[in-house]
Amino acid sequence: MARYGMLINTKKCIGCYACRVACQRQNDLLPTEDFIRYEEREIGAYPNVRVETVPLQCMHCEDAPCVKVCPTGASQKMADGTVQIDKSKCIGCQFCAMACPYGVRYLNQEERVVEKCTLCEQRISQGELPQCVAQCGARARFFGDLEQGVDGFEAPAHPSELSCGYDDMQATRVTLKDYVEPYTENDIHHLADAGNEPKLMYLMREGRKWRE
């Protein structure tokens, strides 16, 4: 059984919000609703300053606090490593949202159920990439099986490297190892671990860490 994960290359992310818009369209969210949000910080010293963008979404934690506090079993840790919500069991108590260390759950006011990133379970079950990965123009997002290692995480090939249309581009994959500059394990980081073991990873150069 695969255990899914995602890695975001912060050096490539330009904060264009394409991943968030793609996610909103995929999940029929309103413009004011999102499963992906951004944090930014300045890197360097004047006059050599740039902004580093870090997208935040569900970390699909190994030991998810949201699952522990859910009184109805609506929040579940699946065999594939993702954390999902059974809306038929959700009573909208928001205990899970309060327990989340990263604040990435929200209450759907109309349905009165809590929602979050699902890693596009309906797409990955068919061998497709999550929509945020598929639509990242900067190729900052890679998705794959943690059991196989992050080197093999995939993204669509960049259109500049192909003489083909959109569909062919989506069907042609590149791997993290072959696409980005050489990296080591020291370049791969997680958000601060509160005992929950977050699984979403960030490729951050020069030993920089986020919230640690």
Side-chain angles (χ1 to χ4, degrees):
M1 169 66 74
R3 291 177 58 250
Y4 295 118
M6 186 181 296
L7 182 141
I8 300 173
N9 184 358
T10 60
K11 188 175 180 180
K12 288 292 186 180
C13 181
I14 59 174
C16 68
Y17 290 79
C19 59
R20 188 168 77 175
V21 173
C23 177
Q24 288 172 325
R25 293 293 300 273
Q26 177 71 33
N27 294 287
D28 295 322
L29 303 179
L30 297 174
T32 56
E33 301 171 340
D34 56 73
F35 293 165
I36 302 172
R37 58 185 177 85
Y38 294 78
E39 289 193 7
E40 298 178 342
R41 66 171 177 171
E42 291 185 356
I43 299 296
Y46 178 83
N48 300 311
V49 179
R50 68 180 182 86
V51 173
E52 185 172 62
T53 304
V54 179
L56 300 178
Q57 61 200 76
C58 177
M59 297 290 126
H60 295 278
C61 303
E62 186 68 29
D63 189 17
C66 57
V67 174
K68 291 181 178 179
V69 302
C70 180
T72 64
S75 289
Q76 305 170 0
K77 181 70 176 180
M78 312 304 289
D80 62 9
T82 65
V83 176
Q84 304 294 346
I85 301 173
D86 183 343
K87 289 186 179 181
S88 68
K89 295 181 179 179
C90 181
I91 58 175
C93 66
Q94 301 183 71
F95 287 173
C96 59
M98 290 183 280
C100 176
Y102 313 111
V104 290
R105 288 183 172 227
Y106 85 98
L107 179 67
N108 182 320
Q109 296 288 349
E110 183 176 341
E111 297 184 32
R112 300 303 299 177
V113 295
V114 175
E115 296 186 317
K116 67 169 192 69
C117 159
T118 67
L119 276 186
C120 288
E121 59 174 338
Q122 71 277 32
R123 289 175 58 88
I124 62 178
S125 66
Q126 301 177 62
E128 298 178 327
L129 296 170
Q131 193 71 303
C132 62
V133 177
Q135 303 304 325
C136 178
R139 296 302 179 267
R141 289 172 170 262
F142 289 79
F143 172 81
D145 182 358
L146 291 165
E147 299 288 354
Q148 302 299 319
V150 297
D151 286 354
F153 278 26
E154 295 180 330
H158 198 280
S160 64
E161 300 169 358
L162 299 170
S163 299
C164 64
Y166 175 81
D167 290 340
D168 289 335
M169 178 192 75
Q170 288 291 326
T172 306
R173 306 282 178 84
V174 294
T175 65
L176 180 70
K177 182 178 181 180
D178 293 334
Y179 193 79
V180 306
E181 299 172 2
Y183 58 88
T184 69
E185 291 185 4
N186 291 332
D187 295 319
I188 297 177
H189 304 284
H190 299 80
L191 292 191
D193 188 348
N196 48 294
E197 298 183 55
K199 291 305 177 191
L200 206 70
M201 294 168 285
Y202 297 89
L203 186 59
M204 292 180 171
R205 305 294 183 171
E206 302 170 12
R208 291 192 301 275
K209 297 186 180 181
W210 192 261
R211 285 185 168 184
E212 289 191 3

